[in-house]
Amino acid sequence: MKKMETDVAVVAAGLSGLAASIAAAENGVRVVTFEKSNTTGGAANMGMGPLGVGSRIQREHMVSLTPGEAFRKHMHFTHYRVDARMVRDYYYKSGDTIDWLCDMGVEFVGVQRAFSAPEATRPYADGEFTWHVVKPEGGGIPGPRAATAMTKKMTERAKELGVEFMLETPVHKIIMEDGKAVGVLAKDKDGEEIACRASAVIVATGGFGDNPKMIAEETEYEFGKTIHNFAIPGMKGDGLKMCWEAGAGKEPCIMELMYQLPDNMNHFILDGAFRQPCLWVNRNGDRFMPEDQIGNTTFTGNAITAQPGKVAYAIFDSKLLKKYKKQGPDIVSHVHPHDLYDHFDEQWERDLADGYEPIAQADTIEELAEQAGIDVDGLVAQVEEYNDMCDAGFDEIFEKDRNYMQPIAKAPFYCCRQNVGAYGSLGGVKINHKTEVLTAEAKVIPGLYCVGTDACNIFGDSYPFILSGNTMGFCLNSGRIAGENAAASLDDFEY
Ligand SMILES: Cc1cc2nc3c(=O)[nH]c(=O)nc-3n(C[C@H](O)[C@H](O)[C@H](O)COP(=O)(O)OP(=O)(O)OC[C@H]3O[C@@H](n4cnc5c(N)ncnc54)[C@H](O)[C@@H]3O)c2cc1C
C-alpha cells in the first residue's frame, strides 16, 4: 500500500471539489485532490454557468438584486423548509465568488435569467438576472459545455497553487479514528491501494445520477423508465455512501428535475423543437397544465411526474410547424440551437426511419394517438375541446395565453413523448453552514466536510429556477466555504 500525507484531502475534482481545492490552497495549506475520472470538471463541463448575486458584472449591468433579497426569495420558494443559515451564507458569498473566478481568468458573456418569452407568460416570471453564462472557449454563442472554459481555468489555478491532482484514483473510504476523519483510502488506475492521511477531508463526488439502484432506493423514480436523467459516468453516489458510513446524518435526496427525451443529446433538435406551448396531454389524452408554462422545465418535470406513467405528449400540426419554421419558436430556449427548425425535417425523418420510439406522425388524430400510445377517444375529445377554445380565443380550463391558442387541425400531426428528466441528484449528506458534516443528531464530525450536489439540501422539493445557475452556484460556494474552513481548522491541528 502506498502511503501519503497532506493537510486537506479533497475527494473529487468536479466543480465543488475544484473550488474547495483552490480555496484551501489559497489559504496556504497542502492539498491533494483525488479524482475518479481522467479529467477534472465533472458534470460542470456539460453546463453553461453559475449563479452569483452582487458580482461586479451585475453591478456593471445595473442588476440591483442584493444577496439579502435573493436569500428571502429562496426561502420563500422553499417555504423555509431548508437551512436558512446555509442559504444566507451561500448568497452572501456568491457575488464575490464570481469576481474570484474572473480574477483567475474565467470570462462570462454576461448575466441573464433563464428563457425568454413574453413577459406575461415568462416561465420564470419572477426570475432574476443571476445566471453568469461562461464565455465558451474560442467565442461563439454559449450552449451546453460552455462552462468547460471555467473548469479549465480553475484547474490551472489549482495547479499554480500547488494542488496535487490524483486522476483515475477514486476514493472508496474515509479513514475515521476516534470519531474524526483523518484521511482517505483510494485506489489508483493500476489497482494500487493508497492511504492518504489528512487533517481534513472534503467530499465532493457529484451525487448518484449514474446509479439506477440508488435512484430507485432514494427517490420515487426508476432510471430509464420513469426518469431519463443525465447519467454522467462515475456519479455513483460514492461520497454519500462514504459519508453515511462515517456517521453522517441523512437528508432527503431529490432529482434535479426537468424534462427531456431519452438519449436527448443525440436527438437535441427534437428535444428543443417540442418545447413549445402547443398542445400537451397525458396518456389519457387530457391536458394537465397551461402550456405557456412549459418553459419552466422544473415545474413541467413536476407536472409530468404527477401524470399516469409519469409521461406527457407534446403535439403540433403542420400549420404550427410551418409557423415555427418561418417565425421561430414561441418560447426561445437558451440551451438549444437558435436555428432549430432549419434542421427539424432532417432529424425528424432520420429518427422516424430509425424507429426512435418517443415520436409519432400521422394524418389523423386517431392514428396519432394509437401510434403514440395515448387513449384514442380521450385525445380525440381533447383536441375537439381545445380547437373549440382556440376558435373562441380563450382557454376556459387553464387560461393559457391567448397568443398560443393555436388549433391542432391540419395534417400531418406530430407528437413527441416527454419524459421526466434530471441533471442529476441533489442532497443526502447532512451539513451545517460551515459545510461540516453532521450526524443525524446534528453533532459535527470533526475533520469531515461535504459540498456540492452531495450536500445540496437547500432546494426543498424543486430546483429554484427563479434564481438560475443555482446548482453550480451552490457547488462553487459550498466548495469555497469548505476549503476556507478546512484550512482555518488546521491552525488548531497538532501534527
Ligand atoms: C447537461 C447539464 C447542464 C448543466 N447546466 C448547468 C448550468 O448551466 N448551471 C448550473 O448551475 N448547473 C448546471 N448543471 C448542474 C451542474 O453542472 C452540477 O450540479 C455541478 O457540476 C455539480 O458539481 P459537483 O461538484 O457536485 O459535482 P461534479 O461537478 O459532477 O463533479 C463530481 C466529480 O466527482 C468525481 N467522483 C465521483 N466519485 C468519486 C470518487 N469515489 N473518488 C473521486 N472522485 C469521484 C467525478 O468523476 C466528478 O469529476 C448542469 C448539469 C448538466 C448535466
Side-chain angles (χ1 to χ4, degrees), residues 11-17 34-37 39 41-44 46-51 131 169-171 204-206 230 232-235 238 242 256 423 451-454 463 469-473 475:
V11 184
L15 189 62
S16 55
F34 295 88
E35 168 53 49
K36 187 189 249 183
S37 75
T39 187
M46 306 280 289
M48 290 171 65
L51 165 142
W131 195 26
T169 309
V171 171
T205 66
F230 284 102
I232 316 288
M235 310 302 180
D238 295 354
M242 287 189 276
E256 189 184 352
Y423 294 100
V451 297
T453 43
D454 289 345
Y463 176 77
N470 221 304
T471 7
M472 281 193 192
C475 292

Side-chain angles (χ1 to χ4, degrees), residues 308-371:
K310 295 186 173 34
V311 286
Y313 303 83
I315 296 169
F316 49 68
D317 70 352
S318 51
K319 191 168 171 206
L320 251 178
L321 177 59
K322 197 168 166 193
K323 188 193 113 171
Y324 296 149
K325 282 180 179 170
K326 212 166 153 200
Q327 297 175 14
D330 283 330
I331 293 179
V332 180
S333 154
H334 290 305
V335 175
H336 294 87
H338 289 201
D339 55 354
L340 272 179
Y341 296 99
D342 294 349
H343 307 286
F344 180 87
D345 290 342
E346 189 191 329
Q347 172 127 46
W348 182 259
E349 294 306 332
R350 194 171 58 230
D351 283 354
L352 266 188
D354 292 350
Y356 181 54
E357 195 244 327
I359 61 171
Q361 177 181 332
D363 286 333
T364 66
I365 295 297
E366 287 86 345
E367 256 180 77
L368 191 77
E370 241 162 59
Q371 278 187 37

Side-chain angles (χ1 to χ4, degrees), residues 278-279 315-317 320 365 383 386-387 406-410 413:
C278 44
L279 172 67
I315 296 169
F316 49 68
D317 70 352
L320 251 178
I365 295 297
V383 169
Y386 180 71
N387 286 352
Q406 304 157 113
I408 306 298
K410 191 171 175 357
F413 303 107

Side-chain angles (χ1 to χ4, degrees), residues 2-52:
K2 186 173 159 190
K3 295 201 169 170
M4 294 175 73
E5 194 257 323
T6 187
D7 295 324
V8 177
V10 180
V11 184
L15 189 62
S16 55
L18 283 171
S21 305
I22 297 168
E26 277 178 344
N27 282 281
V29 300
R30 295 169 302 159
V31 180
V32 177
T33 302
F34 295 88
E35 168 53 49
K36 187 189 249 183
S37 75
N38 62 4
T39 187
T40 60
N45 290 334
M46 306 280 289
M48 290 171 65
L51 165 142

Side-chain angles (χ1 to χ4, degrees), residues 36 143 181 203 210 369 453 478:
K36 187 189 249 183
V203 175
D210 186 29
T453 43
S478 59

Side-chain angles (χ1 to χ4, degrees), residues 460-477:
D461 63 21
S462 298
Y463 176 77
F465 241 129
I466 48 166
L467 293 154
S468 49
N470 221 304
T471 7
M472 281 193 192
F474 180 78
C475 292
L476 281 164
N477 288 286

